[in-house]
Amino acid sequence: MNKRVYNDYGTWVRTVLPGRVQKISVDAGFTCPNRDGRISTGGCAFCDNRTFNPAYCDPRRSIAGQIEAGKAFFARKYPDMKYIAYFQAYSNTYADSVERLKRAYEEALAVDGVVGLAIATRPDCVTAPVLDYLGRLARQTFLTVEYGIESANDLTLRAINRGHDFGCSRRAIEETAARGIITCGHVIIGLPGEDAAECLRQAPLVSGLKLDILKLHQLQVIRGTRLAEEYSRKPFPTYKADGYMRLVAAYLQLLRKDLVIERFVSQSPAGMVIAPQWGLKNHEFADMLCQYMSQNGIYQGQLADGGSAPKPPQD
């Protein structure tokens, strides 16, 4: 249980969407500009979208069909569940027209029981017309736009072939928030070259963005990625669960108190993960983290107003 040592997503979302709500992943068949050749063809060094596409999420099926399959999976246990259609795979604002996006999003919203959308994308894949449309949509339904920030360090972003810099993330987030859209950011902790001190240096930068929600997760080395090739040639350090927990606790101290924290852990299929192999689900890690923070008098925002930065924990 959280005991309010951090501003958790589960508590927050119940204030805006009463009742039990579950995200259902959707693969709408989009791609990314660093995969289709606009920026690069290699993709991000860490990325394999199969790590988060559940079995019911198949781009060969219609969007509505994927959602209905996901509903069937969850409804066995929670028949009164409502759903957020989560456009998760690749970059879900990267299309040749606003009309294509509109068809995809509105097909999802037309499915019975869907009460909102979560749209994952890159900060270099939004335009003013797209954001204007999303701003109108956000006045009609629950909507979050989630940006892959990944790091606030431009050297790291180049090294992982991200294809944009931190300034691009800042601009996209500002333009999204200015339209009244709930805005989420995603950051990976432990990217190659980023030690605990560097992660903590970035925390205030991330906190200073106009984000409503933040998702963190540990770096995972996934089979078949460029990062896996680098790891096989020269293994780089990855976090043990306990060390990562202590680093996240220190990171949370530097974030503003009103920033909603949605996630701490990535749960990729075990057979795809080279390192680290924890076997922990997000809620299990969150329970460990809350216990550690409570026992040590740590809470989100504790040092966000100019207090001394926490000493980087040693893994």
Side-chain angles (χ1 to χ4, degrees), residues 157-285:
L157 292 171
R158 284 196 290 274
I160 62 174
N161 195 40
R162 184 62 188 166
H164 63 77
D165 60 12
F166 182 61
C168 180
S169 295
R170 182 184 291 109
R171 288 189 297 274
I173 289 165
E174 288 177 351
E175 292 172 8
T176 306
R179 289 166 169 83
I181 300 167
I182 299 170
T183 309
C184 175
H186 179 273
V187 171
I188 300 174
I189 300 293
L191 286 164
E194 295 191 351
D195 60 11
E198 172 60 16
C199 290
L200 296 181
R201 182 195 72 83
Q202 294 182 33
L205 300 177
V206 173
S207 184
L209 300 172
K210 293 185 179 298
L211 293 171
D212 302 291
I213 304 169
L214 180 63
K215 296 170 73 171
L216 304 172
H217 79 68
Q218 82 283 20
L219 176 70
Q220 291 186 306
V221 182
I222 303 299
R223 298 185 191 282
T225 63
R226 197 186 81 187
L227 203 62
E229 295 174 7
E230 295 174 7
Y231 188 82
S232 67
R233 291 194 301 269
K234 186 178 180 181
F236 45 81
T238 59
Y239 282 103
K240 298 181 177 68
D242 184 71
Y244 178 73
M245 177 190 68
R246 288 183 278 115
L247 177 56
V248 167
Y251 194 99
L252 288 172
Q253 289 180 277
L254 296 168
L255 301 180
R256 51 187 162 84
K257 293 179 181 179
D258 66 327
L259 186 56
V260 175
I261 310 300
E262 183 170 355
R263 190 184 69 177
F264 299 109
V265 170
S266 178
Q267 300 166 226
S268 301
M272 297 184 69
V273 179
I274 297 173
Q277 295 184 343
W278 296 350
L280 285 174
K281 296 181 179 179
N282 188 60
H283 73 88
E284 294 171 328
F285 178 87

Side-chain angles (χ1 to χ4, degrees), residues 129-163:
V130 168
L131 290 175
D132 288 343
Y133 163 65
L134 292 175
R136 294 191 296 271
L137 193 60
R139 292 191 287 274
Q140 302 168 25
T141 189
F142 176 85
L143 172 67
T144 63
V145 175
E146 176 184 324
Y147 289 109
I149 302 167
E150 316 312 358
S151 174
N153 187 316
D154 286 346
L155 292 176
T156 300
L157 292 171
R158 284 196 290 274
I160 62 174
N161 195 40
R162 184 62 188 166

